[in-house]
Amino acid sequence: ALVRLAIKADIGEICRLNRVWLEIGNNVNADKSHGYLFGQPYEAVDIDLFVENESIAVAYVGRKLAGYYLFDDWSNNPTTESYRQALANVLKERDDLNAKICVRAQIAIGRAYQGLGIYRKLHVFLCSHLIPRYDAVFSFVARSNPKSVVHSSYGWVDIGGNSEVRYVICYLD
């Protein structure tokens, strides 16, 4: 897979892949065994912001978008706002987390491209690119998501949560 920073020409395909996994997450009868996303969809204007800020990477297999990985510290997406609030609450309780922390990460890999090492490639690429800006990134992982074990294997550490989600942090170094 070819991994690079996203460009404006990628925005439509990124939005499409985002919606595919959100539809699975929002459908109670859907097969979630390959993972899913939850929350509000990212709009093209959001993705454009990530492109401008160089905070989104894409993976291509041939000419097909295989996946994307983004760090969201800027959008007004309602789901990102809930992450921002949760992180603020965690930081009030934990004085050991005194790092520059991005409030949200999201990764999506097309079903046909899972198991090919694309998660690792995207993770290493984007984290390396964003080390000058951040020490760590915060995120939620749904407790019911079968792909949550993958996150743990890439350095994500539990730092709290509730009955629905785990709050996780990943240090970029």
Side-chain angles (χ1 to χ4, degrees), residues 5-9 11 44-56 71 74 129-130 133:
L5 289 173
I7 59 174
K8 289 185 185 295
I11 293 173
V45 65
D46 298 315
I47 304 300
D48 186 56
L49 184 63
F50 305 141
V51 169
E52 290 293 321
N53 284 295
E54 295 186 354
S55 64
I56 184 168
F71 279 23
W74 307 279
H129 183 72
L130 293 175
R133 282 190 240 172

Side-chain angles (χ1 to χ4, degrees), residues 14-36:
I14 293 167
C15 288
R16 183 196 60 74
L17 186 58
N18 178 251
R19 282 175 168 46
V20 164
W21 288 112
L22 282 170
E23 286 173 13
I24 292 170
N26 292 330
N27 180 345
V28 294
N29 299 316
D31 175 8
K32 294 180 173 67
S33 63
H34 301 290
Y36 62 91

Side-chain angles (χ1 to χ4, degrees), residues 24-158:
I24 292 170
N26 292 330
N27 180 345
V28 294
N29 299 316
D31 175 8
K32 294 180 173 67
S33 63
H34 301 290
Y36 62 91
L37 296 175
F38 60 87
Q40 295 297 310
Y42 281 112
E43 302 299 331
V45 65
D46 298 315
I47 304 300
D48 186 56
L49 184 63
F50 305 141
V51 169
E52 290 293 321
N53 284 295
E54 295 186 354
S55 64
I56 184 168
V58 291
Y60 275 84
V61 173
R63 293 184 168 173
K64 299 282 189 183
L65 177 72
Y68 69 84
Y69 190 28
L70 65 84
F71 279 23
D72 180 0
D73 215 15
W74 307 279
S75 84
N76 293 318
N77 180 292
T79 305
T80 302
E81 290 301 323
S82 69
Y83 280 54
R84 192 171 280 117
Q85 188 58 54
L87 178 58
N89 291 339
V90 168
L91 292 175
K92 285 179 198 169
E93 300 169 11
R94 304 264 312 250
D95 58 4
D96 61 320
L97 298 175
N98 57 356
K100 173 65 174 132
I101 303 172
C102 179
V103 299
R104 183 179 182 194
Q106 183 181 84
I107 191 161
I109 309 292
R111 173 66 194 104
Y113 304 103
Q114 291 183 356
L116 301 178
I118 292 172
Y119 182 117
R120 181 187 58 76
K121 289 177 182 175
L122 283 167
H123 181 76
V124 169
F125 177 88
L126 194 60
C127 289
S128 297
H129 183 72
L130 293 175
I131 281 176
R133 282 190 240 172
Y134 301 107
D135 300 314
V137 61
F138 174 80
S139 203
F140 290 1
V141 178
R143 292 189 185 277
S144 61
N145 191 333
K147 291 292 185 176
S148 66
V149 294
V150 174
H151 298 291
S152 299
S153 66
Y154 288 98
W156 292 91
V157 178
D158 283 22

